[in-house]
């Protein structure tokens, strides 16, 4: 009986091996299900179209008729196109102003929320984040209403304090249209970064602030000498996202002004969109060439951020 039992009963090492094999199989199945579909979607809907646009940039093609190979002519024309340079100038203005104001305002608000014991802190977080819940269309239409000349909120407030603008339409004037878009863009982006910076600040030990208070440091000193250096890596990543988003984004401008008046708010993304899908002028090849120029600009901006914004963390 003992021999039969020994033959029929698997050894403990064999059981452990079978268990490990089953666990490895389950792990690989999970990794396959978790990684392959998203990666396949990325290859199919993001990477492949981007690679294909490089080929389109060498063609003269409207999307319907037969394509004609023109080599680098589209890039030469793009560098000679005054509308490309006008759009890039507007992008540069937005790329400097929007990330700057978003980061500064977000840092101050996040610092106040995390270092001031306001009863309304939880409510304030919700209010600050609320614009991010709204779609770009809603934000654009809301601010277009604010800037309206006849019944806009801005003219109403100015009139209330004694400044009569005479039904001035802020988005309809070449001198004020681009500047009017900046507050709308900043308002729509501040809330998310307030939450990001607030969570980063909560990880800073309170003992550092207590020591600074004992030394007589005020709130501004603590913000710029303690908080900002310790959250520099978060600021760096946020600046990168904001710069890239500002260079690529055009939806809010499309809805508010559609690049007008007279091209005073046109940006490179909107210009490229109109080149590819516009009614008057449709050239996928030229639009792809402009997109390649935008890609180079974005890579250059990323390298500049890596060079001039320190990427070092602090241990505490």
């Amino acid at each position: 009986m003992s021999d039969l039992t020994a033959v029929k009963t698997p050894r403990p090492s064999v059981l452990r091996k079978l268990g490990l094999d089953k666990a490895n199989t389950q792990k690989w199945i999970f990794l396959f299900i978790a990684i392959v579909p998203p990666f396949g979607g990325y290859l199919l809907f993001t990477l492949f179209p981007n690679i294909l646009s490089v080929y389109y940039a060498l063609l003269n093609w409207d999307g319907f008729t037969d394509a004609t190979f023109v080599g680098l002519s589209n890039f030469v024309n793009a560098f000679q196109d005054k509308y490309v340079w006008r759009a890039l100038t507007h992008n540069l203005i937005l790329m400097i102003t929007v990330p700057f104001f978003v980061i500064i305002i977000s840092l101050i608000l996040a610092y106040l929320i995390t270092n001031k014991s306001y009863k309304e802190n939880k409510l304030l977080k919700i209010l600050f984040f609320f614009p991010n819940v709204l779609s770009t269309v809603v934000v654009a239409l809301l601010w277009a209403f604010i800037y309206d000349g006849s019944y806009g909120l801005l003219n109403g407030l100015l009139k209330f304090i004694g400044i009569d603008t005479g039904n001035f339409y802020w988005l309809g004037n070449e001198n004020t249209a681009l500047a009017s878009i900046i507050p709308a863009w900043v308002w729509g982006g501040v809330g998310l970064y307030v939450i990001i910076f607030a969570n980063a600040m909560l990880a800073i030990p309170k003992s550092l602030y207590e020591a600074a208070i004992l030394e007589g440091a005020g709130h501004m000193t603590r913000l710029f000498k303690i908080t900002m250096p310790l959250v520099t890596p978060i600021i760096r990543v946020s600046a990168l996202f904001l710069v890239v988003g500002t260079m690529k984004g055009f939806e809010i401008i499309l809805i508010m002004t559609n690049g007008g008046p007279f091209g005073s708010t046109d940006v490179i993304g909107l210009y490229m969109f109109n080149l590819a899908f516009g009614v008057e002028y449709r050239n996928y090849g030229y639009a792809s060439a402009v997109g390649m120029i935008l890609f180079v600009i974005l890579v250059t901006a990323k390298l500049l951020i890596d060079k001039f914004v320190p990427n070092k963390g602090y241990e505490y």
Side-chain angles (χ1 to χ4, degrees):
M1 292 294 294
S2 61
D3 294 338
L4 292 175
T5 304
V7 172
K8 293 180 179 180
T9 305
R11 296 179 181 178
S13 60
V14 176
L15 292 174
R16 285 196 295 269
K17 185 177 180 181
L18 291 173
L20 289 175
D21 290 342
K22 184 177 180 181
N24 287 331
T25 302
Q26 292 176 344
K27 181 184 72 173
W28 286 110
I29 292 175
F30 171 78
L31 291 176
F32 180 84
I33 296 174
I35 295 177
V36 172
F39 186 68
Y42 172 76
L43 290 177
L44 182 62
F45 298 109
T46 301
L47 188 60
F48 177 71
N50 287 335
I51 295 175
L52 197 61
S53 64
V54 178
Y55 170 68
Y56 287 156
L58 305 176
L59 305 176
N60 182 16
W61 185 46
D62 61 1
F64 298 100
T65 60
D66 294 335
T68 304
F69 184 81
V70 295
L72 299 177
S73 297
N74 286 327
F75 293 96
V76 175
N77 294 333
F79 281 107
Q80 296 175 349
D81 190 347
K82 64 179 181 179
Y83 299 114
V84 169
W85 292 106
R86 182 184 66 182
L88 287 175
T89 302
H90 298 158
N91 271 112
L92 179 62
I93 295 172
L94 294 172
M95 189 178 67
I96 294 173
T97 55
V98 172
F100 174 79
F101 285 116
V102 168
I103 290 176
I104 293 298
I105 295 173
S106 299
L107 280 171
I108 295 174
L109 293 177
Y111 178 82
L112 293 175
I113 288 176
T114 55
N115 291 276
K116 287 282 191 177
S117 300
Y118 298 121
K119 296 180 181 179
E120 302 83 2
N121 273 352
K122 294 183 179 180
L123 177 61
L124 290 175
K125 288 183 180 180
I126 296 174
L127 291 178
F128 293 151
F129 189 74
F130 179 72
N132 292 92
V133 179
L134 304 176
S135 66
T136 305
V137 175
V138 174
V139 173
L141 292 177
L142 175 64
W143 280 87
F145 171 78
I146 291 174
Y147 290 128
D148 188 85
S150 301
Y151 48 84
L153 179 62
L154 180 57
N155 283 344
L157 290 175
L158 292 175
K159 190 173 182 179
F160 179 77
I161 62 176
I163 302 176
D164 188 4
T165 58
N167 295 332
F168 180 75
Y169 186 48
W170 298 84
L171 296 177
N173 188 283
E174 296 180 59
N175 299 321
T176 59
L178 185 63
S180 299
I181 289 175
I182 295 174
W185 210 319
V186 172
W187 183 79
V190 162
L192 174 63
Y193 292 96
V194 169
I195 303 300
I196 293 175
F197 293 151
N199 290 331
M201 292 175 188
L202 289 174
I204 300 175
K206 296 296 183 184
S207 57
L208 297 177
Y209 292 112
E210 293 171 355
I213 292 172
L214 292 176
E215 294 292 332
H219 282 289
M220 297 304 293
T221 302
R222 278 176 271 163
L223 174 61
F224 288 100
K225 297 295 184 180
I226 298 177
T227 304
M228 289 186 63
L230 293 179
V231 298
T232 296
I234 309 298
I235 297 175
R236 179 177 177 273
V237 175
S238 300
L240 177 61
F241 284 150
L242 285 166
V243 167
V244 172
T246 306
M247 285 296 298
K248 291 173 56 179
F250 66 91
E251 298 88 349
I252 193 170
I253 298 177
L254 174 65
I255 299 167
M256 292 182 70
T257 63
N258 195 23
F262 307 109
S264 60
T265 59
D266 197 16
V267 291
I268 195 66
L270 181 59
Y271 184 58
M272 181 176 61
F273 176 82
N274 288 327
L275 285 174
F277 305 105
V279 177
E280 297 180 0
Y281 185 78
R282 179 173 293 177
N283 191 329
Y284 287 101
Y286 189 43
S288 297
V290 174
M292 290 300 100
I293 295 175
L294 177 60
F295 172 76
V296 173
I297 293 173
L298 292 176
V299 173
T300 304
K302 197 270 181 186
L303 295 176
L304 291 175
I305 292 176
D306 288 342
K307 181 177 179 61
F308 293 105
V309 179
N311 185 24
K312 59 180 180 179
Y314 295 87
E315 295 183 1
Y316 45 82

